[in-house]
Amino acid sequence: METQFATTVAALDDKSDSYKENLIGTLLAIFGNLFISISLSVQKYSHVRLAGLKDTRTYYWTKTWWFGLLLTIVGELGVFTSYAFAPLSLVTPLSAVSVIASSILGFIFLRDKWKPKDFLRRYVLSFIGCALTVVGTYMFVTFGPNTHERLTADNIVKHLIGWPFLLYLLLEIIAFCLLLYFYKKKNAKYLVVILILVALLGSMTVITVKAVSGMLVLSITGSLQLNYPIFYIMFVCMVATAVFQASLLTDASQLYDSSQIASINYIISTLFAITAGAVFYLEFNHADVLHLCMFFLGCLIAFLGVFLITRNRKKSKAFEPYVTMDAVAETATISVSSSKHA
């Protein structure tokens, strides 16, 4: 009887710690994405202000631009750290927070002049999209996976050599090579092709980001993991895949409108990242059917919200790329903003 009671108490304590870690990871991801969004708006404002005042200074000599860069670094560190606490499938979709914040900041802070009669036509879809994204975010956070394990080097290696991940990796390599062949050799520069290539790389990025982040946090808290080769293998893979994603997204920004890139990339990359978390970290192994259905329903609602937000943006005339490595995330993401000329 005493043994059973002790087991029950231990299980409740583990569950409490699990929810606490989920909360920490979720908050870090939300505030990290929020800071990233604010930083991009601040940096864009710096460019717009210089153009409007006909200031001959280079943008990186302005305090505003450096403040934006500082916010970017803080935001990226927040998202990166969140992977050590919350499941991959929970952190990655939270990049929708950045889309919501960008939409609100763009309307309040960087909006063009508009007439009252044009308000409904131009902004009502954005407001509906923001509402749907908030509802979807609440749903997938509430019903998301709640699985946790210590991300030690031994556990990472165990997942890495498991047959589910090896099969997934084989299929992903085949798909990537085929798409890259059509993209490079057959000149198939369709947006979906480019963004699937980005998502395939991104699924590897988020796996490695979570591993590196988890091992770093364990090392800081006293369980050193930096003396294992797997840490450095994961770190190199993380940097390499992020760089190639940024390169592909830059190609996409030169061919397609930023609103198309933002919505489609969010949807495809999130789906691939959730799949990677389910296969590598086995995040949905103990989830019941109801929680799975509600989680994916929340994701679908968030996808629709993001689509509506980005659909209402005006097409850019001149491109100025801002590339951020979403260690969230996502993954490497790009926000392409239009320059204003006096």
Side-chain angles (χ1 to χ4, degrees), residues 94-107:
L94 284 172
S95 57
V97 172
S98 183
V99 179
I100 298 172
S102 295
S103 179
I104 295 172
L105 288 170
F107 173 71

Side-chain angles (χ1 to χ4, degrees), residues 127-142:
F127 290 145
I128 294 173
C130 284
L132 288 173
T133 307
V134 169
V135 171
T137 301
Y138 173 78
M139 288 180 64
F140 67 66
V141 167
T142 303

Side-chain angles (χ1 to χ4, degrees), residues 209-247:
V209 165
K210 184 171 178 63
V212 171
S213 178
M215 284 189 279
L216 276 175
V217 169
L218 283 178
S219 298
I220 292 170
T221 55
S223 179
L224 187 64
Q225 304 295 314
L226 305 186
N227 54 347
Y228 292 94
I230 189 62
F231 173 82
Y232 300 97
I233 293 172
M234 287 293 189
F235 182 82
V236 171
C237 290
M238 177 185 74
V239 173
T241 53
V243 168
F244 281 115
Q245 282 181 83
S247 175

